[in-house]
Amino acid sequence: GGIITQTPKFLIGQEGQKLTLKCQQNFNHDTMYWYRQDSGKGLRLIYYSITENDLQKGDLSEGYDASREKKSSFSLTVTSAQKNEMAVFLCASSMVRQGAGNTLYFGEGSRLIVV
Amino acid sequence: GDSVTQTEGQVALSEEDFLTIHCNYSASGYPALFWYVQYPGEGPQFLFRASRDKEKGSSRGFEATYNKETTSFHLQKASVQESDSAVYYCALGETSSFSKLVFGQGTSLSVVP
């Protein structure tokens, strides 16, 4: 088995501040994802990375940057934190697998609080 | 684009009740369908998947059948327990070599003894 570790668990920042969330996985998976979770809106994809050195925008990428430093790590930066961005951010990883779609493995989430 | 709709935002049941959470999808291709479950304080975890029409996925007493005609993948369990209280997400993914999952809004299940 493996694990996905997200740090920090709670990230508190001021409006306008640049804030970074980090994610590490030891599954040796190629693909990593960042999702945003808002109550009543489900999970929405912010960025994903198919392999090391790849970056792809999801549906919710505006206001965020991402960085795939190496195969095992994927960071997400909120470029200018706003109070309406307070949410839980979930990191996930998966194998690239033919034919049956991919199963995602998630971390426990990081909660962003903007004061 | 592809989308998933879960009809129920919240469901409240008593132990041993029958559960149904409705999931309908819209997709241009022939997606794989998933159910994920999220317990408080944890990330979502994979429950099961189905990849073709009429295939049944199941795990831990939960099941759902892929229905291409009605574009549905409804989650059912015959007898829920208090420990099943969680948020349930339906999702779809393209059956290509790579897929990003599109999730529904989630359904919060509360089971009381």
Side-chain angles (χ1 to χ4, degrees), chain A residues 95-108:
Chain A
M95 292 188 297
V96 177
R97 182 175 163 175
Q98 293 274 1
N102 290 324
T103 296
L104 268 61
Y105 296 84
F106 284 88
E108 293 186 344

Side-chain angles (χ1 to χ4, degrees), chain B residues 44-85:
Chain B
Q45 53 184 270
F46 172 76
L47 196 53
F48 58 80
R49 81 160 71 80
S51 301
R52 57 187 182 276
D53 191 23
K54 300 181 178 52
E55 180 181 356
K56 179 188 282 189
S58 64
S59 176
R60 309 183 212 174
F62 292 91
E63 62 180 39
T65 300
Y66 194 133
N67 189 320
K68 195 166 186 294
E69 182 181 8
T70 60
T71 61
S72 65
F73 192 55
H74 305 318
L75 182 69
Q76 294 187 320
K77 187 176 185 184
S79 175
V80 294
Q81 302 301 311
E82 189 178 7
S83 57
D84 293 326
S85 297

